[in-house]
Amino acid sequence: MIEPAKAFAKESRENTLDPELNRILGKALGSYHLTVGQSLSRWTDWQAARNQTRTWKYDAINRLDTLLTTLEKRLAKRGVEVHWAKDSAEALNLIDSLLERYQAHTVIKSKTMTTEEIGLNEHLERKGIEVTESDLGEFIVQLRKEKPFHIVTPAMHLSKDSISRLFEEKLNISHTEDAAELTLAARHHLRQKFLRADLGITGANFAVADPGLISITENEGNGVLSASSPRVHVSVMGLEKVLPSLEQLALFLPMLSHSGTGQFLTCYNSWIAGPRQPGEQDGPEALHLILLDNGRTKILSDPEQRETLHCIRCGACLNACPVFRQIGGHAYGTVYQGPIGSVISPNLLGLNKYGHLSFASSLCGRCTDVCPVHIDLHHHLLENRRNQVERHPPSPMQAFAFRRFASLMSSPAGYRRAVRLAQFGLRCLHQFPILMRLPGLRGWTAHRNLPTPPSRSFLESVAREPSP
Amino acid sequence: MSESRETILTAIRRGLAVPATAPPTPDPPLSEWFPLLAKSELVSVFTTALQMLQGEVFEEPDEAATGRRVAELIEGNAADRVWVQPGLPFPRVCDTIDDVSTIADFKGHEEAKRRLENARVSITDAICFVARHGTILIGTTTQGGRMLSFLPEHHIVVGRKTQLVPDLADAIAIARDRFGDNWPSFLSLITGSSRTADIEKILVLGAHGPRRLSVILY
């Protein structure tokens, strides 16, 4: 089993050099940025709005225990069974017992990252339970036996042509390059799955303690149908998602839609407060909510990292990140990708195993700029780096190099000396290019062009200009 | 299972005992996230917003004209493919389309699924309409169930112009007022036709929910 850091380096390099992937990412992200940019004009003050959501999230996380118990109480009054899962294994056991209890053999799912986290699909398939993803993008990657490429747009990396060939093979349709026809084929196929499934599994984008409900945001309608059509509805939700009151969704829902897809509101935002109540026409006979911990309380206990639990999983930071733009989602090797993934994965899964993700950043800060709940993402990357270095101190070589760097940079004379050294070094490399192959340098020079050494340094140029 | 509940709650309480730095208070707190709408604008803002999402909006002078519009929209469909919300509070509309539609009065969940599986059209009213986004708020207890508004290919919503409100916050207030402690198991904010852009970012309508959405206001 290849080490995560090595796998990450290898796949990043391969993906960066893949022209087809580059084209698709460029197109998808370009379209996203255009739409979001246009949507910004709808808001009187988006910066103020995200400062408000930040405060609300801070309040919610910092009384998480009370909100969760209130949520549980209100839901229970309407017949919802609320379960608490400490980790993946417990969540899977819970779902197993529910499948047993309701004699369920077929499952329809709508898109939810928590079920990716716990490895639900693989687990169910091993048990011989038929599980179908109903979100079109998830359905496509499921047919390909692949992981989702992006938390919001799972099939972003696939061309129409590859999807068409996939459907020809798996759904027995005749060849078509028309996106509408492909979608219609999926609609027909999945409609049967909705209506015949014994049990539906969804996530939740938010939960609200008052009046006690879960909120599901989507465009296709598969969330509603997964929750409403089968006899039993199970929702697996990260326990950090709960907010105090429904009134706050008046802001959170448009913020999520705006940053997620550039829409004002997505097509369906549904509030599910229970199973079918007496007097209601249709709906599931049972609703089970699984509150998933799986490392979240660990993050919560670190007051610096606690803010990272504010995330509403919109995907904006992925779309803004220049690293993600080059390497794509799969390269991260974790369920959560992009900047938020690079921040939380080391803390959920281990700094020593996944700490490299926090280092794979230029710290440009664009992620922080686009976050709709104003999480200070790039500083959290720095904190992860600091924590990792504290736990695993650098080699004597590295430590020496950084001490020299620090002393050179700490005085104007030292800085000038460093600049002269750099000028000398650049000229040497230009004269003797073979020096670039030196170990230590090679990691940098193998993928970059050497800049032409300028005749004068910036300091020298400025010194020669007459004062204004 | 309840053991984990205690473990998790204890872990949370222990963690929260160490305070995290509070973010600066939004100052001053802004409550108008979007430019204010005048009452006279509500219909036009709603119409523009919904039309941009490929929805249809018809304005009619009275209930009789509304009935005729509905009849026009459902023409060509077999009566057993056109489902009307039980107790639709527009008697003249109901009268007009009585012969060419069926009341979606199902005896239970399984029958609802069976009868709606190949539905072409459903006709419901709404709790209210949100002008800002072109949104329709529907609910299971008020609009004849959950699936009636989601399974058919074409969803027709009939309403009064007086049901229009500016923003989501207003819709939430209406829901609070209407339901109080008797919160329905399902409410949904519908904003346009079902859609997906999962295939190369190409917009396609009618992913799983209705492909066509028509709103008639009088």
Side-chain angles (χ1 to χ4, degrees), chain A residues 240-293:
Chain A
E240 84 281 17
K241 297 295 192 78
V242 64
L243 293 169
S245 70
L246 189 60
E247 281 68 21
Q248 288 186 348
L249 288 189
L251 183 56
F252 275 106
L253 290 180
M255 287 298 268
L256 174 60
S257 297
H258 169 84
S259 295
T261 55
Q263 291 173 282
F264 210 173
L265 275 183
T266 59
C267 196
Y268 305 113
N269 289 276
S270 307
W271 297 330
I272 295 175
R276 183 173 76 246
Q277 302 293 292
E280 288 182 3
Q281 173 110 281
D282 59 10
E285 70 199 42
L287 169 57
H288 293 261
L289 175 64
I290 299 177
L291 299 171
L292 182 66
D293 180 354

Side-chain angles (χ1 to χ4, degrees), chain B residues 58-73 92-93 96-97 158 216-218:
Chain B
F58 302 96
E59 275 181 67
E60 298 296 342
D62 53 41
E63 202 189 319
T66 304
R68 287 193 294 279
R69 177 68 70 182
V70 176
E72 188 188 293
L73 287 171
R92 298 204 61 181
V93 173
T96 310
I97 60 170
V158 181
I216 311 169
L217 294 170
Y218 78 94

Side-chain angles (χ1 to χ4, degrees), chain A residues 8 17 50 66 94 113 169 172 217 222 230 234 241 270 274 276 280 303-304 347 362 384 418 424-425 433 457 461 466:
Chain A
F8 175 75
L17 298 171
R50 77 179 183 136
T66 330
L94 276 165
M113 298 313 292
E169 186 199 337
N172 263 323
T217 290
N222 61 309
V234 177
K241 297 295 192 78
S270 307
R276 183 173 76 246
E280 288 182 3
E304 243 179 5
N347 294 314
S362 61
N384 280 358
F424 176 69
S457 75
S461 317

Side-chain angles (χ1 to χ4, degrees), chain A residues 45-65:
Chain A
D45 189 343
W46 186 79
Q47 292 295 336
R50 77 179 183 136
N51 289 336
Q52 178 64 83
T53 53
R54 174 174 60 178
T55 297
W56 281 343
K57 271 286 180 177
Y58 173 84
D59 287 339
I61 292 290
N62 286 281
R63 42 189 186 114
L64 188 60
D65 54 332

Side-chain angles (χ1 to χ4, degrees), chain A residues 16-32:
Chain A
T16 306
L17 298 171
D18 180 345
E20 182 55 17
L21 184 63
N22 187 46
R23 178 190 78 80
I24 286 172
L25 275 174
K27 186 162 166 225
L29 295 178
S31 142
Y32 166 86

Side-chain angles (χ1 to χ4, degrees), chain A residues 1 30 67 91 117 171 208 230 233 235 273 287 289 293 312 376 378 384 418 440 453:
Chain A
M1 187 63 191
L67 291 181
E117 233 182 281
L171 300 185
V208 163
H233 174 199
S235 172
L287 169 57
L289 175 64
D293 180 354
I312 62 175
D376 201 355
H378 64 300
N384 280 358

